[in-house]
Amino acid sequence: MKFTLSWLKQHLETDAPLDVITDKLTALGLEVEGVEDTGKALAPFVIAKVLSAEKHPNADKLRVAMVDTGAGEPIQVVCGAPNCRTGITVVFASPGAVIPATGDTLKVGAIRGVESRGMLCSERELNLSDEHNGIIELPEEAPVGASFAAWRKLDDAVIEISLTPDRVDCAGVYGIARDLAAAGVGTLKPLNTAPVPGVFPAPVKVTLETAACPQFAARVVRGVRNGPSPQWLQDKLTAVGLRPISALVDITNLMTLDQVRPLHVFDAAKVQGDLTVRESKAGETLLALNGKEYTLPAGLTVIADASGAVLSLGGVMGGESTGVSETTTDVIIEAALFEPAKVAETGRALQIDSDARYRFERGVDPASVVSGIEQATRLVLELCGGEAGEVFVAGAEPAWRRPLTLRPARVAHLGGVDVPEADQVRILTALGFETSRKDGLIQAVPPSWRADVHGEADLVEEVLRIHGFDAIPTTSLPRDEGLPKVAVTPKQRRTATVRRLLASRGMLEAITWSFLAPEVAKLFGGAPDELALLNPISADLAVMRPSVLANLAAAAGRNAARGYADLALFEVGPAFRDGSEKGQDLIAAGVRAGLAVARHWAKGTRPVDAYDAKADAIAALEAAGAPTANLVVSTDAPGWYHPGRSGCLRLGPTVLARFGELHPAVLEALDLTGPLVAFEVFLELIPQQKKKGGTEKPKLELSAFQPISRDFAFVVEAGVEADRLIRAAKGADKALITGVQLFDVYQGPGVETGFKSIALSVTLQPVDKTLTDAEIEAVAAKVVAAVTKATGAVLRG
């Protein structure tokens, strides 16, 4: 929300300096995000008069002007503007000035051989408007030599505040002034809401056919002149980033920003008959004022005329077909209430953001319809002339009165500061609450514009907010022995350990949305209907995620698009199976993309592969306390993995982890370049370790005898996994065999078709004596027998 200091002071009688006002705004919860001093940027620009303007000797479209700046001798300026002529009053910039629109510093220069010692400025160069066809022409009475910013009242600070969604009452300057006045920073000036008498009966009636519009007021004003709005109004809107359009449109924008009262004006000549507020029909279209044509779904709130044509989207935006123009002479002013949820639905469905939508979907003052149309009428008559008809009101003002009770002692109990009862009543009254005292209690009725106040705690907050949060004393927590120690659950400890482990493996932790687009969810198993959000942030975040990998893969793609192709990301967070309480899993997931080994002059490089993801998964499982020695690899990873380059890590029938390359079809659908490898570890499925005694690690026992390695090459059917051979070899003699490593896989000449050769290196570690040849051969025979029995493999000849 932006506003100028002078705008604020139109509603607030105060001598407080700018810094006091901004500090108090933040203290009131209206956090100041920035203050822009526009007068500082325009300080070098002065009012000047063109004494003469002669044709440039070397250019047909340039003129050499002698300019009086009020500072002594006339200054020579070369100007290319078509309206540069003798006698006009202009805005002059001397060398050294910084042009706001471009940021360029003006210097003395020669243009086509003629020296130019300054510049005559257009509105666009000063960021006042888009007008750049000529230089600014000021009234003849503008004082030569005076500051242009001060004369035009542009030396005004622009304040920007951040609003929480519940404080829509402060999405208007008057509401901000009200809060400051309640806090003692000046006196609030009353608004003129007196009715404007109608001189003719209301010619346009309104019918409400939907509960989404509880009240609608319409008023016809005849004989208006819709030219440019006066300078003071244009300056107001320009200062806060809005482009002045015409007097009628600017009035509606002023009411929105000043009073939180969005309005709309129809060109009455373009409206056929009476108005109807109804729900849209599927397929209806509207060319909106933003120049875009929208095809409407069924169920949106729209305003139509007797022809049935849609004229406007209720609470969001008007239509171009009935928009006002310079030729407009009769207008229909609209002030209405629209249900916040329906306004939000319309805006999201059509992807339209507007100042009206921002306020309506947060809850506009339900008592502002009639008073708002009266204020707007007064402005229209003042700026555009004409005569007003009677106001036609359809529907009724919704019930908004909510009597609440405040026990004065609750302020000290909940807020920690004792505010006298009289001050509590004064604060609430200044904020617009109707207050009375009865039996030691404060009865308070929130004003119509404070839909966020619903209970006693809210009243306490209002009192503390205005009294000053900084008045709440600092209280230290007691440090006696009675405080319980911080308890970390095994789940929390396991999660933290896995995070540290993955970070130590060179992966960066990411935190992504728990939502994604429905079409992306389908790539990762799909999301059932109960995972669809009723009120999504956007269409791309409409369902709860069935997998963490989708968002991580998208994050890797965004990094690759910005030049960071070699990347490793992980996240520990929930994935959702259904809408039940137990329908989510805590998952540690990660992705690797690009090169596994960076380019280096002394060694080769390679892209990431499924084994990198497998190593990450096993490391995470080991950090989480899983018995990794008992894990079995299976090749039944789900469909978003590459079918030949992926697997699952199982403990018995339970899948503890999945790993592998993402399927090429998934990468294509996400517009990613592979390979991209990923893993998922299901932390809650890992069995808790059973404690045996204390937490100390057992003493390391080192053998004094040298280990022995023996190599075996087995011929086995091509479909048999190498892991089965490794596990069988390990189990042949658990006392002596301490390691089995795969070091070769071969298919080709010398091996029968449909078979493969798998070579294993088996390590024997004696602990009490040196093994004899016979003992070694006996263990080797056990290895061969165990592998043959488990897999049907035979020793290669």
Side-chain angles (χ1 to χ4, degrees), residues 123 152 154 229-236:
E123 290 194 355
R152 270 282 300 271
L154 297 175
S229 55
Q231 196 62 53
W232 65 265
L233 179 50
Q234 294 189 38
D235 290 345
K236 259 185 170 62

Coordinates of all heavy atoms in Angstrom, one line a residue, residues 123 152 154 229-236:
E123 N 7.6 15.3 -19.7 CA 7.0 14.6 -18.6 C 7.6 13.2 -18.4 O 7.8 12.7 -17.3 CB 5.5 14.5 -18.7 CG 4.8 15.9 -18.5 CD 3.3 15.7 -18.3 OE1 2.8 14.6 -18.4 OE2 2.7 16.8 -18.1
R152 N 4.9 22.3 -8.2 CA 3.9 21.3 -8.5 C 3.5 20.4 -7.4 O 2.8 19.5 -7.5 CB 4.5 20.5 -9.7 CG 4.2 21.0 -11.1 CD 2.8 20.7 -11.5 NE 2.5 19.3 -11.5 CZ 2.7 18.5 -12.5 NH1 3.2 18.9 -13.7 NH2 2.4 17.2 -12.5
L154 N 5.3 18.3 -5.8 CA 5.9 16.9 -6.0 C 7.0 16.6 -5.0 O 7.5 15.5 -5.1 CB 6.4 16.8 -7.5 CG 5.4 16.9 -8.6 CD1 6.1 16.9 -9.9 CD2 4.3 15.8 -8.5
S229 N -8.4 14.6 -15.5 CA -8.7 15.0 -14.1 C -7.8 16.2 -13.7 O -6.7 16.4 -14.4 CB -8.5 13.8 -13.2 OG -7.2 13.3 -13.4
P230 N -8.1 16.9 -12.7 CA -7.3 18.1 -12.3 C -5.9 17.6 -11.9 O -5.7 16.4 -11.5 CB -8.1 18.7 -11.1 CG -9.0 17.6 -10.7 CD -9.3 16.8 -11.9
Q231 N -5.0 18.5 -11.8 CA -3.6 18.2 -11.6 C -3.4 17.5 -10.2 O -2.6 16.6 -10.1 CB -2.7 19.4 -11.7 CG -1.2 19.1 -11.8 CD -0.9 18.3 -13.1 OE1 -1.3 18.7 -14.2 NE2 -0.2 17.2 -12.9
W232 N -4.1 18.0 -9.2 CA -3.9 17.5 -7.9 C -4.3 16.0 -7.8 O -3.7 15.2 -7.1 CB -4.8 18.2 -6.8 CG -6.3 18.2 -7.0 CD1 -7.1 19.1 -7.7 CD2 -7.1 17.1 -6.5 NE1 -8.4 18.7 -7.6 CE2 -8.5 17.5 -6.9 CE3 -6.9 16.0 -5.8 CZ2 -9.6 16.7 -6.6 CZ3 -8.0 15.2 -5.5 CH2 -9.3 15.5 -5.9
L233 N -5.3 15.6 -8.6 CA -5.7 14.2 -8.6 C -4.7 13.4 -9.4 O -4.3 12.3 -9.0 CB -7.1 14.1 -9.2 CG -7.7 12.6 -9.3 CD1 -7.6 11.9 -8.0 CD2 -9.2 12.7 -9.8
Q234 N -4.3 13.9 -10.5 CA -3.3 13.2 -11.3 C -2.0 13.0 -10.5 O -1.4 11.9 -10.5 CB -3.0 14.0 -12.6 CG -4.1 14.0 -13.6 CD -3.7 14.6 -14.9 OE1 -2.6 14.3 -15.4 NE2 -4.6 15.4 -15.5
D235 N -1.6 14.0 -9.8 CA -0.4 13.9 -9.0 C -0.5 12.8 -7.9 O 0.5 12.1 -7.6 CB 0.0 15.3 -8.3 CG 0.4 16.3 -9.4 OD1 0.8 15.9 -10.5 OD2 0.4 17.5 -9.0
K236 N -1.7 12.8 -7.3 CA -1.9 11.7 -6.3 C -1.7 10.3 -6.8 O -1.0 9.5 -6.3 CB -3.3 11.9 -5.7 CG -3.5 12.6 -4.4 CD -5.0 12.5 -4.0 CE -5.2 13.0 -2.6 NZ -4.8 14.3 -2.4

